[in-house]
Amino acid sequence: MSASVSRRSFLGLAGGTVALLGLAACGGNNNAGTDGKTYIVATDTTFAPFEFTNEAGEFVGIDVDILAAIAADQGFTYDLNSLGFDAAVAALESNQADAVIAGMSITPEREKKYDFSDPYYDSYVCAAAAEGGDVSSLENLNGMTVACKTGTQSASWAESIAEEYGFTITYFDTSDMMYQDVLTGNTAACFEDYPVMAYGVAQGNGLTIIGTDEEDFATPYGFAVMKGKNPELIEMFNAGLANIRESGEYDEIIAKYLEA
Ligand code: GLN
């Protein structure tokens, strides 16, 4: 795993609660496989509460735990590679990963290229600015530069409204790099998935939400493979997801990260 990107700045915003929560096995690749294949699953680096490095240095999160629970239920083996969102998708496309789990939005456009599992979490997008600063609404972004994360739905939202609100966009590879850029005052705001930003704000990351889109950019998260490849992996993910929803394990995982 390469989860070391900007751990310091992430921990700065993670606060104290996360350490109590992060009990997931790192990597989660110790399940007994049935056919000997170890799937390579690519993920993001810092996208709390879905995947992140906690204060104990463990790579944890809702995606990490859900995948581990499903693999245990279905008896498949995997390695989890923490690459960054855009890099995870690139790894999938270049056959260096079998699947992606990274709070990845299921969109009609992506469904042309990838097969997604059943949805496992509902999301939408938001913009956030420095808490206590001059920017408190999208209207304040006129003439300013904002931060987006390459290849994401929140970047697509920003791109779709940039002209209307008169801002320009600069791109980053990771969420924590975007947040830092806003906190240091280089960019006026950043665009992010709402559940991720809301979690960060609640942890005291110094940002405040200034706008949302809950309609055009409301998309559930899914586990993705390349279209037509590894169909058995999608089947196992869906079967395992149904089982962990049924058993209550899914709810326990969500509660572990969101209701502590
Ligand atoms: N949900 C967003 C997307 O799929 C962002 C995912 C991420 O940054 N890990 O584009």
Side-chain angles (χ1 to χ4, degrees):
M1 240 185 318
S2 52
S4 58
V5 181
S6 303
R7 173 176 298 167
R8 188 174 49 86
S9 57
F10 176 76
L11 291 176
L13 68 87
T17 325
V18 172
L20 301 170
L21 304 174
L23 302 172
C26 187
N29 57 350
N30 44 10
N31 306 294
T34 45
D35 62 358
K37 171 157 183 165
T38 297
Y39 294 101
I40 298 171
V41 181
T43 188
D44 205 342
T45 49
T46 54
F47 200 59
F50 295 93
E51 45 267 344
F52 60 104
T53 302
N54 69 12
E55 285 187 338
E58 300 158 333
F59 193 67
V60 298
I62 292 170
D63 285 346
V64 178
D65 285 11
I66 282 179
L67 180 60
I70 288 173
D73 182 74
Q74 295 291 306
F76 67 84
T77 307
Y78 64 96
D79 281 324
L80 189 61
N81 291 345
S82 167
L83 303 175
F85 182 70
D86 201 41
V89 174
L92 181 67
E93 294 197 355
S94 62
N95 212 15
Q96 285 166 31
D98 296 301
V100 170
I101 189 162
M104 184 172 178
S105 302
I106 304 172
T107 68
E109 204 180 339
R110 286 179 179 164
E111 281 180 310
K112 292 178 196 155
K113 286 163 86 180
Y114 317 117
D115 287 328
F116 282 96
S117 69
D118 294 334
Y120 65 85
Y121 199 88
D122 288 331
S123 184
Y124 55 95
V125 295
C126 71
E131 200 181 6
D134 295 338
V135 176
S136 59
S137 73
L138 296 176
E139 284 73 21
N140 295 150
L141 297 175
N142 191 21
M144 303 208 169
T145 302
V146 304
C148 284
K149 185 165 144 190
T150 307
T152 60
Q153 273 294 289
S154 50
S156 298
W157 180 46
E159 288 153 9
S160 74
I161 62 171
E163 205 178 331
E164 179 187 351
Y165 289 97
F167 59 77
T168 53
I169 301 172
T170 181
Y171 292 89
F172 294 87
D173 285 336
T174 68
S175 288
D176 59 334
M177 283 163 72
M178 274 198 308
Y179 303 173
Q180 283 306 320
D181 205 63
V182 175
L183 291 172
T184 57
N186 286 326
T187 37
C190 59
F191 285 69
E192 179 62 285
D193 282 6
Y194 180 84
V196 171
M197 185 53 70
Y199 180 88
V201 168
Q203 299 282 329
N205 70 0
L207 300 173
T208 186
I209 291 168
I210 61 160
T212 59
D213 187 313
E214 297 184 48
E215 285 171 23
D216 297 339
F217 290 86
T219 45
Y221 293 162
F223 173 86
V225 297
M226 284 311 282
K227 205 155 198 50
K229 284 182 79 179
N230 295 306
E232 76 290 350
L233 186 54
I234 291 290
E235 271 173 40
M236 288 190 287
F237 191 95
N238 286 340
L241 179 61
N243 288 342
I244 67 167
R245 282 192 193 274
E246 176 87 24
S247 70
E249 196 174 355
Y250 174 91
D251 289 337
E252 282 168 26
I253 291 168
I254 301 297
K256 173 171 145 187
Y257 291 98
L258 294 179
E259 289 162 25

